[in-house]
């Protein structure tokens, strides 16, 4: 049985397939930092399609004079049990930006230690930083609850680092992964506007926002639509699933020991729709000695569904009862308008609104064609229905 990674492997190069075009495109925009031109980038695509893997690979290949900070909002969200706020995001940003300075020398090493000290103190209950004054010429917030000063500090920080490095550093790339969860902030719009207002004067700082959402989703509109903070100036890159040919090429290169008939391959592609995360978990249920035709693929798919959809089952496990009920309603009755859906659930309108928003912000439910809410992923929907069919009840 082959073993393909279900999360991002430590050895980034070993398992990585293709994506030459996407890599080249994004690198091109980041390289402009060397010319003091900073592009802001938005990377969208289905969950499991390989956005994070692509970006990690790309960041690793950037030259040493470009610093990289990375935060994953879904991790922060998970750690905080769904309660995120602006201050927390700013704190995480500063933490990860400062992390990028680790191991640097001279001036930057000095900054690193100062910021580290600052972050440690901030984390403590009795925060008081009155003696600090300023770092890099930016005022340091004296008290814990001074969000304005903190955000000013954090937003200014990356460009100041580049300036202070006297030519050693040419750019700062900041990745905000699963950014659609920022929709859970009290006012996501103003958060995006804040970032936009600083980036427009910074020639050496590129933000990459990436999320498991479609390129037409509401949050994309909010950040980069005509009336959005970036007003269409962000460069949008959508990471597509592997094509039929790429899927075949991937299988041949990574798991050549599994053989498929032509219609078996077709069926495999139909089941996975070219999503690498699903391809990998499906492959891990197949055996090396066998030849898979369409019938065998279909049989395995239904028998091993829990293993193949593990990415979604993990997410299912994080939903609460109410969120699950909403999901089940949509799976049972198909795409529905807000009021149809609201009528079909048992709980209050306020609760319903709250949890539907959470599902939307997490990229699990989408507000799609004809203003109806639907399940974001066909495989997740298929799995919910399949469970009902074989077990007689919906997954708990
Ligand atoms: N280009 C690729 N080559 C090989 N495997 C990939 C590729 N892209 C994604 N994968 C596999 O799919 C999984 C999901 O990728 P990930 O980057 O986490 O998706 P996303 O961030 O879009 O949700 C990864 O753990 C990896 O095993
Ligand atoms: Mg990801």
């Amino acid at each position: 049985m082959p073993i393909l990674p279900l999360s991002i492997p430590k050895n980034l190069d070993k398992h990585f397939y293709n994506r030459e075009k996407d890599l080249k495109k994004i690198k091109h925009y980041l390289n402009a930092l060397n010319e003091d031109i900073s592009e802001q980038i938005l990377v969208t695509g289905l969950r499991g399609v390989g956005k994070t893997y692509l970006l990690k690979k790309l960041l690793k290949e950037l030259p040493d004079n470009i610093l990289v900070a990375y935060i994953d909002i879904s991790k922060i969200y998970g750690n905080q049990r769904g309660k995120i706020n602006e201050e927390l995001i700013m704190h995480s940003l500063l933490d990860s930006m400062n992390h990028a300075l680790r191991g640097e020398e001279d001036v930057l090493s000095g900054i690193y230690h100062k910021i580290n000290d600052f972050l440690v103190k901030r984390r403590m209950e009795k925060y008081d930083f009155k003696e600090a004054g300023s770092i890099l010429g930016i005022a340091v917030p004296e008290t814990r609850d001074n969000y304005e000063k903190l955000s000013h500090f954090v937003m200014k920080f990356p460009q100041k680092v580049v300036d202070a490095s006297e030519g050693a550093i040419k750019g700062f790339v900041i990745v905000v992964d699963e950014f659609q969860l920022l929709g859970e902030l009290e006012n996501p719009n103003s958060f995006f506007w804040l970032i936009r207002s600083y980036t427009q004067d910074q020639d050496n700082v590129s933000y990459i926002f990436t999320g498991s959402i479609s390129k037409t989703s509401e949050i994309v509109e909010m950040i980069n639509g005509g009336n959005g903070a970036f007003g269409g100036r962000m460069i949008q890159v959508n990471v597509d699933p592997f094509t039929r040919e790429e899927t075949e090429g991937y299988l041949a290169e990574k798991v050549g020991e599994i053989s498929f008939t032509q219609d078996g391959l077709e069926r495999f592609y139909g089941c996975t729709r070219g999503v690498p995360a699903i391809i990998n978990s499906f492959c891990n249920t197949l055996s090396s000695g066998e030849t898979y035709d369409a019938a065998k693929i279909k049989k395995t798919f239904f028998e091993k569904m829990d293993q193949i959809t593990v990415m979604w089952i993990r997410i299912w496990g994080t939903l609460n009862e109410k969120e699950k009920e909403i999901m089940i309603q949509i799976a049972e009755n198909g795409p529905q308008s807000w009021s149809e859906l609201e009528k079909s659930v048992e709980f209050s309108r306020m609760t319903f609104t709250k949890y539907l928003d959470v599902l939307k912000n997490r990229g699990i439910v989408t507000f799609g064609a004809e203003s109806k809410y639907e399940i974001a992923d066909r495989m997740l929907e298929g799995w919910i229905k399949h469970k009902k069919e074989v077990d007689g009840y919906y997954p708990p």
Side-chain angles (χ1 to χ4, degrees), residues 29-97:
Y29 290 120
L30 295 181
N31 271 330
L33 290 169
N34 279 301
E35 321 290 327
D36 302 325
I37 298 171
S38 58
E39 303 286 4
Q40 311 309 323
I41 301 170
L42 180 57
V43 178
T44 51
L46 297 174
R47 197 178 300 266
V49 83
K51 301 175 296 295
T52 303
Y53 198 177
L54 175 85
L55 289 172
K56 295 230 155 152
K57 173 108 164 83
L58 179 120
L59 299 175
K60 202 192 92 179
E61 289 168 5
L62 289 177
D64 288 345
N65 67 351
I66 308 272
L67 296 177
V68 172
Y70 172 93
I71 63 167
D72 182 343
I73 308 291
S74 73
K75 291 230 167 87
I76 303 174
Y77 185 87
N79 286 341
Q80 297 294 117
R81 298 206 190 85
K83 289 193 182 66
I84 57 167
N85 58 45
E86 284 83 354
E87 193 227 300
L88 195 68
I89 305 297
M90 284 298 163
H91 188 102
S92 304
L93 274 172
L94 185 58
D95 200 5
S96 70
M97 287 175 189

Side-chain angles (χ1 to χ4, degrees), residues 225-341:
N227 297 318
F230 287 84
R233 290 179 200 86
M234 276 186 138
I235 289 156
Q236 279 186 233
V237 177
N238 192 63
V239 180
D240 293 318
F242 290 160
T243 61
R244 161 78 176 67
E245 285 66 38
E246 284 169 328
T247 303
E248 187 169 1
Y250 177 76
L251 294 173
E253 187 176 307
K254 306 295 182 193
V255 282
E257 66 272 25
I258 307 179
S259 29
F260 295 89
T261 64
Q262 204 52 39
D263 68 336
L265 204 59
E266 213 61 62
R267 187 87 200 197
F268 181 87
Y269 177 65
C271 290
T272 61
R273 284 172 305 131
V275 176
I278 306 290
I279 294 179
N280 284 3
S281 48
F282 201 159
C283 279
N284 289 349
T285 71
L286 303 177
S287 315
S288 335
E290 299 254 5
T291 298
Y292 288 91
D293 59 15
K296 259 191 204 164
I297 288 293
K298 185 178 168 190
K299 183 163 175 279
T300 313
F301 182 67
F302 285 113
E303 278 174 9
K304 302 284 168 72
M305 206 170 206
D306 282 357
Q307 232 174 305
I308 297 168
T309 56
V310 63
M311 171 178 79
W312 283 110
I313 296 174
R314 278 196 200 128
I315 287 178
W316 184 261
T318 68
L319 302 182
N320 65 33
E321 293 310 311
K322 302 203 163 58
E323 290 159 349
K324 283 177 187 165
E325 190 177 331
I326 296 174
M327 294 295 287
I328 288 168
Q329 283 301 335
I330 306 180
E332 201 162 82
N333 304 314
Q336 288 161 72
S337 69
W338 192 90
S339 50
E340 285 170 331
L341 200 51

Side-chain angles (χ1 to χ4, degrees), residues 166-234:
E166 292 174 336
I169 303 297
K170 279 307 285 180
F172 218 129
V173 177
I174 299 147
V175 180
V176 181
D177 204 348
E178 299 294 355
F179 90 97
Q180 76 279 358
L181 277 165
L182 294 175
E184 285 292 293
L185 292 174
E186 215 157 276
N187 194 341
N189 220 348
S190 69
F191 190 76
F192 294 144
W193 278 98
L194 177 84
I195 295 182
R196 161 78 182 134
S197 71
Y198 283 94
T199 52
Q200 60 187 357
D201 308 318
Q202 299 183 335
D203 297 333
N204 303 91
V205 182
S206 282
Y207 282 83
I208 302 179
F209 286 87
T210 175
S212 298
I213 38 164
S214 93
K215 56 187 169 207
T216 56
S217 65
E218 266 176 297
I219 194 111
V220 168
E221 197 53 32
M222 189 191 286
I223 194 169
N224 200 33
N227 297 318
F230 287 84
R233 290 179 200 86
M234 276 186 138

